[in-house]
Amino acid sequence: MSFVEYSEFIQEGDVVIIFLGHDSMMPINVKSGAQTQTRYGAIRHSSDLIGRRFGSKVTCSKGGWVYVLHPTPELWTMNLPHRTQILYTTDIANITLMLDLKPGSIVCESGTGSGSLSHAILRTIAPSGHLYTVEFHAQRAEKAAQEFKDHKVDHLVTVRNQDVCKEGFGVLGVADAVFLDIPSPWEAITHAKKAFKQKGGRLCSFSPCIEQVQRTCEALMEQGFEEICTLEVLQRVHDVRSVNLPLPDFGPEDGGAESAKMTTEPPLEEVPPSANSGYTSVTCRTATPPREMAGHTGYLTFASKPRG
Ligand SMILES: C[S@@+](CC[C@H](N)C(=O)[O-])C[C@H]1O[C@@H](n2cnc3c(N)ncnc32)[C@H](O)[C@@H]1O
């Protein structure tokens, strides 16, 4: 198993995502002889996992069942151990698109944090690209490096434990893209510029506050970056619920009993007109967006480094 290539069968040492429900999953490391407890009972790694096909339905010791899924960057983002705030799929999708990432891209990133974005970058740039990721918190850098090894993507990534604002990315003139998720991105723009290839490239900076965005844009302009633009990606969840829709009474139908039956038959349930309204209402299932939308995570500022 690797996070950048699918395998058919589960093996010792693999990461498997145990799917108990859409909002209940957990990643486990497969180890012969080990057991994992779930609310449906125990999963025995040797007999229930090793040698089984990824995606199988596995019956636990109490008779309930789970799916055992192949890990992907999306599932990892939903289930990874949080050591920091992380980036989610809505932002990640935009970042990989707008940074023009593809197999073979060379990317510089800081900070590594919990590695949520890093895993998505690695899948996109495999098999021949490389990620240089910089994290100044020693344990976070160490943990991320260990996870990249466990997930068999370590040949695609170099983790450096240093301050990107003081020491840069540890590489010069190689990057196609640079990504920043640090509190003071404006302090890393000169290092970002030096990390890019001569032929230009794309930069993205993620910041929760608009004041950080302003300072970053100023630094980008001072350093000659072009096409600077900031956007916010918000996910709008629709609630499925029943609503009553009033239908005016248009009087008797022409066209016979069959036609009248078709037009008056409500989708679900018809509520008779109240004494003085003259309206019939139908109850139907529909999806509605929330009136107020929470969910701000941050602003994405993109810019291009001119060629030369
Ligand atoms: C919000 S987290 C990054 C999360 C990451 N994008 C993810 O998706 O998991 C920010 C990280 O940047 C690191 N950091 C902050 N300032 C830094 C700097 N100047 N140099 C290197 N790392 C830095 C922090 O230690 C933290 O781990």
Side-chain angles (χ1 to χ4, degrees):
M1 170 238 73
S2 143
F3 270 53
V4 296
E5 215 174 292
Y6 285 97
S7 317
E8 215 174 334
F9 297 101
I10 301 171
Q11 292 176 27
E12 164 102 34
D14 281 354
V15 173
V16 169
I17 308 289
I18 304 293
F19 178 96
L20 299 115
H22 284 286
D23 49 6
S24 177
M25 291 180 244
M26 57 175 167
I28 59 167
N29 291 304
V30 177
K31 205 166 160 225
S32 56
Q35 286 196 7
T36 298
Q37 295 298 331
T38 75
R39 60 172 180 264
Y40 303 127
I43 300 169
R44 294 173 204 89
H45 293 204
S46 299
S47 52
D48 296 335
L49 297 179
I50 295 173
R52 297 287 293 268
R53 221 175 264 278
F54 276 106
S56 303
K57 200 168 165 179
V58 165
T59 305
C60 308
S61 63
K62 286 189 202 160
W65 51 265
V66 297
Y67 286 112
V68 291
L69 305 181
H70 198 292
T72 62
E74 293 80 18
L75 288 173
W76 187 244
T77 288
M78 290 166 79
N79 294 291
L80 59 77
H82 281 227
R83 302 179 283 273
T84 60
Q85 293 269 28
I86 65 162
L87 286 170
Y88 291 93
T89 313
T90 36
D91 284 317
I92 291 173
N94 223 280
I95 293 163
T96 49
L97 175 80
M98 299 285 279
L99 287 183
D100 193 20
L101 301 189
K102 47 187 164 300
S105 296
I106 308 292
V107 185
C108 290
E109 175 198 32
S110 186
T112 318
S114 306
S116 171
L117 175 68
S118 316
H119 280 85
I121 293 176
L122 289 169
R123 182 181 56 187
T124 311
I125 65 173
S128 51
H130 203 86
L131 173 67
Y132 296 92
T133 186
V134 173
E135 169 58 60
F136 73 1
H137 188 287
Q139 278 114 359
R140 282 180 205 154
E142 225 170 83
K143 191 78 184 96
Q146 185 59 48
E147 280 174 357
F148 295 139
K149 208 165 172 209
D150 295 345
H151 301 165
K152 310 215 174 48
V153 291
D154 51 319
H155 57 295
L156 296 166
V157 53
T158 304
V159 183
R160 284 201 172 82
N161 173 217
Q162 61 193 37
D163 185 337
V164 74
C165 300
K166 296 201 175 107
E167 297 166 83
F169 293 93
V171 284
L172 297 172
V174 298
D176 297 296
V178 172
F179 178 81
L180 297 170
D181 181 2
I182 55 171
S184 52
W186 56 90
E187 290 178 11
I189 299 298
T190 46
H191 290 296
K193 196 173 173 187
K194 289 181 197 158
F196 276 115
K197 281 178 181 158
Q198 276 289 310
K199 68 175 183 60
R202 295 279 291 158
L203 177 142
C204 177
S205 172
F206 175 91
S207 292
C209 305
I210 203 71
E211 292 80 4
Q212 291 169 300
V213 173
Q214 284 169 326
R215 293 188 73 170
T216 307
C217 288
E218 280 162 17
L220 286 167
M221 281 187 285
E222 271 166 29
Q223 292 298 322
F225 281 82
E226 294 174 346
E227 299 176 316
I228 301 170
C229 87
T230 298
L231 54 93
E232 183 182 16
V233 187
L234 289 177
Q235 194 170 22
R236 195 160 73 143
V237 179
H238 282 60
D239 293 324
V240 176
R241 61 193 182 99
S242 298
V243 294
N244 281 329
L245 292 178
L247 285 184
D249 184 357
F250 293 114
E253 288 270 345
D254 287 337
E258 227 9 73
S259 147
K261 190 168 166 253
M262 277 172 60
T263 52
T264 54
E265 206 161 66
L268 279 178
E269 176 192 328
E270 192 169 306
V271 182
S274 62
N276 48 10
S277 74
Y279 278 80
T280 303
S281 69
V282 288
T283 305
C284 60
R285 297 286 278 170
T286 185
T288 53
R291 289 231 173 81
E292 283 181 22
M293 250 172 70
H296 169 76
T297 53
Y299 302 101
L300 294 171
T301 298
F302 293 95
S304 298
K305 178 185 166 283
R307 288 164 178 270

